[in-house]
Amino acid sequence: MGTKKPQADGGPTPRPPAPLLSLLPTVGAPAPERADAARNRRRILDAAARIVADSGPEAVTMNQVAHASGIGVGTVYRRFGDVSQLLWALLDDRERQFQEAYLSGPPPLGPGAPAAERLDAFLDALVDRVVEQRAILLAAQTAAPSARYTSGAYLATHAHVTMLVTQSRPTANAPLLAHLLLAPFSPSLMHHLSQEQRLSAEELKTGVRELLSLRSA
């Protein structure tokens, strides 16, 4: 077993905290863990997701998550440390599922359908994801507004949309169009439309489709 090389000052160098949204991943599998640990993690994250969906992220406490998941509060603390880390782990988990769906899931969201159909399916799925996670995403955007565009999650999403636009319109400025297509999915706008304007996810999806078809109408 190897030994770690000591730091020049004799101790570890503190790492600066990562920007909020850079905690989200690009694509990758979670670290390997025992089957029972993986099951506990899944139960804890699913319980936290239910609480967020029902009452918002401010309602999440470690005790509530422990009760909702049927797992001891000590285990919840050992796995996630505090509520903030638990909420970021929940976003990380949902982002990983979303990326797996559009990279390797069934068509039309995943490979195997024409690019235009995949883009429609992707934007529909993105509406669902942003609406579902809007409260946590809004809190992150409020804390670090520009971090969204340099986060691993946004970069992966932008790269995917750029690829689909390139396949649909080979002569277009695909990177620019990808940014413009993703602009309506700002957490603050989605929060305004879904919470203050009371628009459903289906209405938002219809609106995105109509926006994309304005020039051809």
Side-chain angles (χ1 to χ4, degrees):
M1 182 170 160
T3 57
K4 292 184 179 178
K5 185 180 294 185
Q7 298 289 332
D9 60 1
T13 301
R15 297 178 63 186
L20 283 173
L21 288 184
S22 71
L23 295 177
L24 294 174
T26 51
V27 179
E33 55 187 346
R34 298 191 320 271
D36 59 337
R39 285 193 298 270
N40 284 346
R41 178 181 176 83
R42 178 81 273 139
R43 288 167 61 185
I44 292 168
L45 290 175
D46 287 347
R50 290 194 299 272
I51 294 171
V52 169
D54 292 342
S55 307
E58 65 280 355
V60 176
T61 69
M62 302 301 260
N63 283 333
Q64 280 189 324
V65 171
H67 177 75
S69 64
I71 293 173
V73 68
T75 299
V76 177
Y77 272 103
R78 284 193 297 274
R79 288 304 304 265
F80 296 100
D82 57 28
V83 169
S84 174
Q85 293 181 62
L86 174 56
L87 290 176
W88 282 116
L90 178 60
L91 277 178
D92 180 287
D93 181 67
R94 291 301 187 262
E95 177 62 24
R96 193 185 311 281
Q97 292 179 15
F98 182 47
Q99 290 176 357
E100 288 175 353
Y102 70 71
L103 289 174
S104 58
L109 181 57
E117 291 182 23
R118 291 193 69 193
L119 183 58
D120 284 342
F122 178 84
L123 295 177
D124 282 354
L126 189 57
V127 168
D128 288 332
R129 181 182 176 272
V130 176
V131 169
E132 177 193 0
Q133 302 293 319
R134 64 182 178 272
I136 307 176
L137 291 169
L138 180 61
Q141 183 188 47
T142 300
S146 63
R148 175 181 183 232
Y149 302 102
T150 56
S151 70
Y154 184 85
L155 293 175
T157 299
H158 179 265
H160 183 67
V161 174
T162 298
M163 178 195 72
L164 296 177
V165 172
T166 299
Q167 292 175 357
S168 299
R169 300 282 184 90
T171 62
N173 184 342
L176 173 60
L177 293 183
H179 282 301
L180 296 176
L181 284 170
L182 293 173
F185 296 91
S186 161
S188 57
L189 178 58
M190 282 292 170
H191 179 82
H192 170 71
L193 294 176
S194 61
Q195 293 299 101
E196 298 172 16
Q197 297 296 312
R198 303 294 182 185
L199 296 175
S200 68
E202 291 307 313
E203 289 174 308
L204 294 173
K205 293 174 188 178
T206 299
V208 171
R209 297 286 182 88
E210 290 179 350
L211 177 63
L212 294 180
S213 66
L214 280 178
R215 289 284 293 178
S216 59

